[in-house]
Amino acid sequence: MPRTAPLQRLEAPYRATRYRVFLPTATEDLRIGRPATAVDDWLRLHGCRQGVIVTACNPRSLPLGVAANRRLQSALLHLLHAMPHPMLPACNIACDGLWPEEHSLMVAGLSRGEARRLGARFRQNAVVWIERGRAAQLLWIVQRPLPTGR
């Protein structure tokens, strides 16, 4: 079985997930392939061209318990507090309701490389990449899944 086979099953659920960002004055649900106007405004306010939504929960999309995810997310938050990047709380919400909500963070100003390294450090398959004025996209940490023909 090719290395990417297990990831093929993740692309559709990742794309169907709502990535909710808790902005100071509003909440915006990002979707892959769609622009995020309120997040764009927040990035602009902080002088940043791009941002990333990242979680430490459920590494490699293997479900962990609440306590383990809380510890991992706390480690992510601790690491990010040591960096000079503005951030906001966020939450990844599976639209099918079959996957638990995951706490995440919206971080402004990271480069693509920094975003990938951060995701890799917490064993994530992908992070959500946002560039002002463009549609949100999945930034794969591990090798990107092959198209399934659908």
Side-chain angles (χ1 to χ4, degrees), residues 3 6-7 9-10 14 55-64 69 72 99 102 116-127 140-143:
R3 179 180 160 190
L7 294 178
R9 66 180 170 74
L10 298 177
Y14 280 26
T55 185
C57 295
N58 303 312
R60 295 288 180 257
S61 295
L62 298 172
L64 297 180
N69 280 327
L72 287 169
W99 189 259
E102 295 176 332
R116 278 196 171 104
R117 284 189 294 278
L118 185 61
R121 182 173 184 153
F122 290 93
R123 301 179 58 227
Q124 297 300 306
N125 294 315
V127 295
W140 291 95
I141 310 300
V142 294
Q143 190 174 0

Side-chain angles (χ1 to χ4, degrees), residues 12-150:
Y14 280 26
R15 289 183 170 282
T17 295
R18 286 180 290 148
Y19 300 93
R20 180 168 289 164
V21 178
F22 299 97
L23 298 149
T25 59
T27 299
E28 183 167 34
D29 283 353
L30 276 76
R31 299 301 291 262
I32 302 302
R34 298 184 190 159
T37 309
V39 169
D40 281 0
D41 292 344
W42 180 78
L43 288 169
R44 188 176 296 105
L45 178 69
H46 290 282
C48 297
R49 182 95 189 102
Q50 72 279 341
V52 64
I53 297 175
V54 63
T55 185
C57 295
N58 303 312
R60 295 288 180 257
S61 295
L62 298 172
L64 297 180
V66 172
N69 280 327
R70 193 174 289 141
R71 280 191 302 276
L72 287 169
Q73 197 65 12
S74 179
L76 172 61
L77 188 58
H78 180 75
L79 177 69
L80 288 170
H81 274 303
M83 297 177 166
H85 301 286
M87 66 181 150
L88 294 169
C91 185
N92 307 339
I93 305 165
C95 290
D96 62 10
L98 299 176
W99 189 259
E101 291 184 7
E102 295 176 332
H103 291 282
S104 58
L105 295 161
M106 169 74 209
V107 185
L110 293 177
S111 69
R112 281 181 183 264
E114 289 169 321
R116 278 196 171 104
R117 284 189 294 278
L118 185 61
R121 182 173 184 153
F122 290 93
R123 301 179 58 227
Q124 297 300 306
N125 294 315
V127 295
V128 177
W129 180 252
I130 299 143
E131 288 184 65
R132 277 190 353 229
R134 296 182 171 239
Q137 60 182 288
L138 290 171
L139 182 60
W140 291 95
I141 310 300
V142 294
Q143 190 174 0
R144 188 170 194 267
L146 300 171
T148 58
R150 289 194 230 185

